[in-house]
Amino acid sequence: MALIVHKYGGTSMGSVERIKNVAARVAKWHRAGHKMVVVPSAMSGETNRLLGLAKEIAAQPSPRELDLIAATGEQVSVGLLAIALQEAGVDAVSYAGWQVPIATDSAFTKARISSIDDKRVMADLDAGKVVVITGFQGVDPDGHITTLGRGGSDTSAVAVAAALKAEECLIFTDVDGVYTTDPRVVDDARRLDKITFEEMLEMASLGSKVLQIRSVEFAGKYRVKTRVLSSLTDPLIPLDVEMHSGTLITFEEDDTMEQAVISGIAFQRDEARIIVADVPDKPGIAYQILGPIADANIDVDMIIQNQSVDGLTDFTFTVGRGDFQRATEILTQHVKGHVGAGKVLGDAKVSKVSVVGVGMRSHVGIASKMFRTLSEEGINIQMISTSEIKISVLIDEKYMELAVRALHKAFELEQA
Amino acid sequence: MALIVHKYGGTSMGSVERIKNVAARVAKWHRAGHKMVVVPSAMSGETNRLLGLAKEIAAQPSPRELDLIAATGEQVSVGLLAIALQEAGVDAVSYAGWQVPIATDSAFTKARISSIDDKRVMADLDAGKVVVITGFQGVDPDGHITTLGRGGSDTSAVAVAAALKAEECLIFTDVDGVYTTDPRVVDDARRLDKITFEEMLEMASLGSKVLQIRSVEFAGKYRVKTRVLSSLTDPLIPLDVEMHSGTLITFEEDDTMEQAVISGIAFQRDEARIIVADVPDKPGIAYQILGPIADANIDVDMIIQNQSVDGLTDFTFTVGRGDFQRATEILTQHVKGHVGAGKVLGDAKVSKVSVVGVGMRSHVGIASKMFRTLSEEGINIQMISTSEIKISVLIDEKYMELAVRALHKAFELEQA
């Protein structure tokens, strides 16, 4: 029998009834002989309620105090779940992050896990107990409570699974897995039985919000077999069905002949494109343009600079649509004159569409198939960027759904 | 300037506005140059909400998990208060009990403080910070979170004051001090400027619910100057007024000639009296009667056994009214036959009234004055018990208010 980590999101923990359902599911795994560790999120709405109280008192509350306050949401969850497990006849014990301890750095509200001590948890597991550990939080070297940021419980679960060398980490959520694309956009989007870690990373970072991206990085770094599956099924569903449901994030590329070249179509709707035009093509220009943007805490996504033919070049990049106004102002007021640019132009209504798949490493023609498909639909490509396992294009927002559907069909993703 | 501990109850912390008021009050003391430690309770209603969730899951939840859950109420409070202090321009830091640490035994839901480490708090105070510490909780030798039981924040505050050798511990609450008796019963009840620790102990244990009795014991043991005062006044009231308001619990008996003989009239309305009649007067009988009562976790208050004249005696004691039924059943079913008692009688409608005062040590005639006063009102005394500084009588419940008023007047307590 194996050591298994379950993670449950805030919706799954949202009421006393749902907590009892989680307990029934965990008890089922425990009775089958598995050593069980459970990482629940705060009850849905609780973290917002707590942060809301703090924000009522101060517009910019101390991050250190915010973490101490927010961490209580998960602490309540673990206690309630342990009680529900005991009520279901299972010996259980709960721990806050500092009790394990889950050690982090001191970057309050966005801390990173540095190490997890497995001694206490292992002793409990060996004694036959289910161990319930708070997600989202840890403790820094000075004994201050830290949190990992939004979605941090996914990361906690994967990190705990890595530290305990768990057989598998199951992330129970309100979707039943990872799809070839968003089913709300493409009707016949198909759930993937498997996806590689690298593909998942691209899918997550490109806007498929099933898993927090840091948890995927963790899964990759420590090679934690991670499965995304639904908590909305009957908790007493047969174990051998449940343990093969959802989507498994794997680390070996499938070596069957029938391997899919493309795994999915990811997209990010709310992008904005900014062009700093007619810039002198000389060293340091990229830094002079993007430095002030980074200083303003604005994330930059795609970046393109063409080779110049006349000593002048156009520098183009994308930002989230919410940052478009601010980024344009910074460039116009502080950068344009300084770098001697001709003008600053922009388009706040663009979207990014990407095809993702480890198979494209060994297949030519993916890019041309993608561009031809878009061309046949009359969709103009504004920017292109590529990585080993993905090709992204920037297009007019109004064509986004059309592009996703056409690409999904062209790459035959509806077929297993 | 002095090291001062403030404690604020759940009502004082009941909303964002009230928390800001607490911060304004603490900031006033801090600006006057005092080193400030603050111990707030959970926001009013929060502890009940948390325990209610647990009780929805299990009728008898694990005490260990209950403590982990309930402790979050105070953790939220300290974080919010620290933020409010920072917003008021005061450098502040908050700690959960385990971070100080406040060490306790492992008696979950009713733990006792064993020691408090002052290093971390002292370093913060020396650095000019206000330190906000969770009431009600600590950490046991194995790193489990414990709570001290209802009203435990009073005890935390006094214990912290003792550990830090604070000049004074101010308990801010929704009454403005300790009265000669309950003002709801006697209109001209008078607030006491001072009361001795021993008197306070009797007043607290006899039903004046201003302070949790364990906090008074702690104040006595470690000689912590403790003041009970109102948090409902303007937080910006002049400091020299506030620092002399409320009631101070002292350790020196006043040596002025005018010292009051009696400090107050305490009462406990909901008592019940049980008589085990015609019991053979032989060794071990008290234990055989009270052992099963104690085993059922029923607290016994007054106990009387008269000397026997005919080899048979009556054994009489009182319990809280809520335990009357159960205690009577235990005695009738399990004890009566065993000890060879004649019968078990009882009266569930009795009340206890007590006069309390360190002055009675050196004054004769207090008892006779008390008994005469009750006699003049036609009130029959059912039981009497005495200590060094108090005389208690048990009377029919319907005469309770009358007795309290008559005694308050007879001992001239309305006069300072």
Side-chain angles (χ1 to χ4, degrees):
Chain A
M1 294 295 108
L3 198 165
I4 302 285
V5 175
H6 280 192
K7 184 264 171 178
Y8 293 90
T11 311
S12 311
M13 295 291 294
S15 69
V16 161
E17 277 319 305
R18 289 184 182 180
I19 292 172
K20 288 179 180 173
N21 270 344
V22 168
R25 194 181 298 274
V26 173
K28 176 185 70 181
W29 282 74
H30 180 71
R31 293 214 175 89
H34 295 297
K35 290 185 173 177
M36 298 300 302
V37 175
V38 191
V39 179
S41 297
M43 295 175 77
S44 54
E46 185 61 7
T47 306
N48 284 338
R49 183 184 76 83
L50 292 167
L51 297 180
L53 284 170
K55 295 266 162 78
E56 271 187 71
I57 294 175
Q60 299 212 307
S62 143
R64 191 260 180 207
E65 303 299 331
L66 271 187
D67 278 2
L68 180 122
I69 293 168
T72 63
E74 279 73 16
Q75 189 169 322
V76 171
S77 276
V78 294
L80 293 177
L81 182 52
I83 289 170
L85 282 162
Q86 290 161 358
E87 196 67 6
V90 173
D91 196 5
V93 64
S94 75
Y95 294 117
W98 64 268
Q99 292 180 301
V100 173
I102 295 177
T104 72
D105 61 22
S106 301
F108 296 113
T109 76
K110 48 181 191 291
R112 291 187 167 262
I113 295 172
S114 48
S115 70
I116 297 179
D117 189 333
D118 67 352
K119 280 195 287 298
R120 178 165 216 163
V121 177
M122 280 303 193
D124 286 327
L125 291 174
D126 288 342
K129 291 181 190 178
V130 171
V131 181
V132 189
I133 301 175
T134 53
F136 178 61
Q137 64 192 267
V139 61
D140 84 355
D142 296 321
H144 301 297
I145 295 172
T146 55
T147 73
L148 311 182
R150 283 285 161 145
S153 290
D154 287 346
T155 305
S156 299
V158 175
V160 164
L164 300 175
K165 299 179 179 58
E167 174 81 11
E168 197 168 308
C169 179
L170 288 82
I171 311 277
F172 287 88
T173 177
D174 47 6
V175 298
D176 67 350
V178 180
Y179 278 72
T180 50
T181 195
D182 188 335
R184 285 169 299 187
V185 172
V186 178
D187 284 341
D188 52 4
R190 182 174 50 83
R191 184 175 58 72
L192 296 163
D193 290 333
K194 286 184 181 179
I195 186 169
T196 68
F197 144 70
E198 293 146 299
E199 288 169 329
M200 188 65 204
L201 209 52
E202 294 286 4
M203 296 289 272
S205 65
L206 293 171
S208 294
K209 299 194 181 85
V210 178
L211 277 186
Q212 202 217 12
I213 188 159
R214 278 171 55 199
S215 71
V216 183
E217 291 169 5
F218 235 101
K221 185 168 175 190
Y222 295 100
R223 301 184 77 77
V224 178
K225 265 174 75 180
T226 302
R227 185 179 294 275
V228 177
L229 68 174
S230 172
S231 68
L232 304 178
T233 54
D234 179 353
L236 300 179
I237 181 177
L239 190 64
D240 57 346
V241 173
E242 186 158 88
M243 63 197 300
H244 295 102
S245 66
T247 299
L248 180 66
I249 303 171
T250 63
F251 302 93
E252 296 86 37
E253 290 176 27
D254 218 320
D255 54 5
T256 63
M257 293 291 289
E258 305 293 341
Q259 185 195 349
V261 175
I262 298 299
S263 290
I265 312 292
F267 58 85
Q268 203 139 328
R269 183 187 305 274
D270 298 330
E271 296 267 298
R273 180 169 52 101
I274 296 175
I275 306 169
V276 185
D278 298 334
V279 182
D281 189 5
K282 57 186 184 188
I285 212 76
Y287 174 70
Q288 286 178 51
I289 291 173
L290 293 183
I293 299 291
D295 290 346
N297 263 318
I298 296 172
D299 276 340
V300 170
D301 183 9
M302 302 168 86
I303 302 172
I304 287 185
Q305 183 184 352
N306 286 330
Q307 203 177 354
S308 70
V309 286
D310 54 1
L312 290 180
T313 184
D314 296 338
F315 190 90
T316 310
F317 62 96
T318 64
V319 296
R321 195 168 295 162
D323 290 324
F324 175 67
Q325 187 73 30
R326 208 152 48 96
T328 307
E329 281 168 18
I330 291 168
L331 292 171
T332 308
Q333 290 167 20
H334 306 295
V335 177
K336 189 181 145 207
H338 187 60
V339 301
K343 51 195 161 188
V344 175
L345 305 167
D347 183 349
K349 295 223 163 175
V350 293
S351 298
K352 184 168 67 167
V353 175
S354 310
V355 297
V356 176
V358 289
M360 72 170 70
R361 283 182 186 145
S362 50
H363 281 72
V364 293
I366 301 295
S368 65
K369 186 170 184 175
M370 181 182 191
F371 302 154
R372 188 180 69 231
T373 303
L374 295 174
S375 161
E376 283 168 5
E377 299 292 342
I379 300 170
N380 184 45
I381 298 172
Q382 303 182 356
M383 284 174 80
I384 300 171
S385 104
T386 62
S387 80
E388 280 257 292
I389 65 161
K390 74 133 202 267
I391 305 169
S392 300
V393 297
L394 201 70
I395 60 175
D396 189 323
E397 183 195 10
K398 69 184 173 193
Y399 296 124
M400 195 200 75
E401 280 86 354
L402 175 60
V404 171
R405 284 190 206 110
L407 292 168
H408 197 268
K409 191 170 170 57
F411 287 101
E412 299 179 340
L413 289 173
E414 74 284 0
Q415 296 168 29
Chain B
M1 295 295 107
L3 198 165
I4 301 284
V5 175
H6 281 191
K7 184 264 172 179
Y8 292 91
T11 311
S12 311
M13 294 291 296
S15 69
V16 161
E17 277 318 306
R18 290 183 183 181
I19 292 172
K20 288 179 180 173
N21 269 346
V22 169
R25 195 180 296 275
V26 173
K28 176 185 69 182
W29 283 73
H30 180 71
R31 293 214 176 89
H34 295 297
K35 290 186 173 178
M36 297 300 302
V37 175
V38 191
V39 179
S41 297
M43 296 175 77
S44 55
E46 185 61 8
T47 306
N48 283 338
R49 183 184 75 85
L50 292 166
L51 298 180
L53 284 170
K55 296 267 163 77
E56 271 187 73
I57 294 175
Q60 300 212 306
S62 144
R64 191 260 181 207
E65 302 299 331
L66 271 187
D67 278 2
L68 181 122
I69 293 168
T72 62
E74 279 73 15
Q75 189 169 321
V76 171
S77 276
V78 294
L80 293 177
L81 182 52
I83 289 170
L85 282 163
Q86 291 161 358
E87 195 67 4
V90 173
D91 196 7
V93 64
S94 74
Y95 294 117
W98 64 268
Q99 291 180 301
V100 173
I102 294 177
T104 73
D105 61 22
S106 300
F108 295 112
T109 76
K110 49 180 191 292
R112 289 184 170 264
I113 294 172
S114 48
S115 69
I116 297 179
D117 189 332
D118 67 353
K119 279 195 289 297
R120 178 165 216 164
V121 177
M122 280 303 192
D124 287 327
L125 290 173
D126 288 343
K129 291 182 190 177
V130 170
V131 181
V132 189
I133 301 176
T134 53
F136 178 62
Q137 65 193 268
V139 60
D140 84 354
D142 296 321
H144 300 298
I145 296 172
T146 55
T147 71
L148 312 182
R150 284 285 161 146
S153 290
D154 287 346
T155 306
S156 300
V158 176
V160 163
L164 301 176
K165 300 180 179 57
E167 174 80 11
E168 197 169 308
C169 178
L170 287 82
I171 311 277
F172 287 87
T173 178
D174 47 6
V175 297
D176 67 349
V178 180
Y179 278 71
T180 50
T181 194
D182 188 335
R184 284 169 300 188
V185 171
V186 178
D187 284 341
D188 52 5
R190 183 175 49 84
R191 184 174 58 73
L192 297 162
D193 290 333
K194 286 185 182 180
I195 186 169
T196 69
F197 144 71
E198 293 146 300
E199 288 169 329
M200 189 63 205
L201 207 53
E202 294 287 4
M203 296 288 273
S205 67
L206 293 171
S208 294
K209 299 191 181 89
V210 178
L211 277 186
Q212 202 217 12
I213 187 159
R214 277 170 58 202
S215 70
V216 183
E217 291 168 6
F218 235 102
K221 187 168 174 189
Y222 295 101
R223 302 185 77 78
V224 178
K225 264 174 76 182
T226 302
R227 184 179 295 275
V228 176
L229 68 175
S230 173
S231 68
L232 305 178
T233 54
D234 178 352
L236 299 180
I237 181 177
L239 190 64
D240 57 346
V241 172
E242 186 158 88
M243 64 197 299
H244 295 101
S245 67
T247 300
L248 180 67
I249 304 171
T250 63
F251 302 93
E252 295 86 38
E253 290 176 27
D254 217 321
D255 54 5
T256 64
M257 293 292 290
E258 306 293 342
Q259 186 195 350
V261 175
I262 298 299
S263 291
I265 312 293
F267 57 85
Q268 203 139 328
R269 183 187 304 273
D270 298 329
E271 296 268 297
R273 180 170 51 101
I274 296 175
I275 307 169
V276 186
D278 297 334
V279 183
D281 189 4
K282 59 186 183 188
I285 211 75
Y287 174 71
Q288 286 177 52
I289 290 173
L290 293 184
I293 300 292
D295 290 346
N297 263 318
I298 296 172
D299 275 341
V300 170
D301 183 9
M302 302 167 86
I303 301 172
I304 288 184
Q305 185 185 351
N306 286 330
Q307 202 178 356
S308 71
V309 287
D310 53 2
L312 291 179
T313 186
D314 296 339
F315 189 90
T316 310
F317 62 96
T318 63
V319 296
R321 196 168 293 163
D323 290 324
F324 175 68
Q325 188 73 30
R326 208 153 49 96
T328 308
E329 281 168 17
I330 290 168
L331 293 170
T332 308
Q333 290 167 21
H334 306 296
V335 177
K336 189 181 146 208
H338 187 60
V339 302
K343 52 195 161 190
V344 174
L345 304 166
D347 183 349
K349 295 226 164 173
V350 294
S351 299
K352 183 167 68 166
V353 176
S354 309
V355 297
V356 176
V358 289
M360 71 170 68
R361 282 181 186 147
S362 50
H363 281 73
V364 293
I366 301 295
S368 65
K369 185 171 185 176
M370 181 183 191
F371 301 154
R372 187 180 71 232
T373 303
L374 296 174
S375 160
E376 282 169 5
E377 299 291 343
I379 300 170
N380 186 43
I381 298 172
Q382 302 182 356
M383 283 173 81
I384 300 171
S385 105
T386 62
S387 80
E388 280 256 294
I389 65 161
K390 75 131 202 269
I391 305 169
S392 300
V393 298
L394 201 70
I395 60 175
D396 190 323
E397 183 194 10
K398 69 183 172 193
Y399 296 122
M400 194 200 77
E401 280 87 354
L402 175 60
V404 171
R405 283 189 206 110
L407 291 168
H408 198 269
K409 190 170 171 56
F411 287 101
E412 300 178 340
L413 289 173
E414 75 283 3
Q415 295 168 30

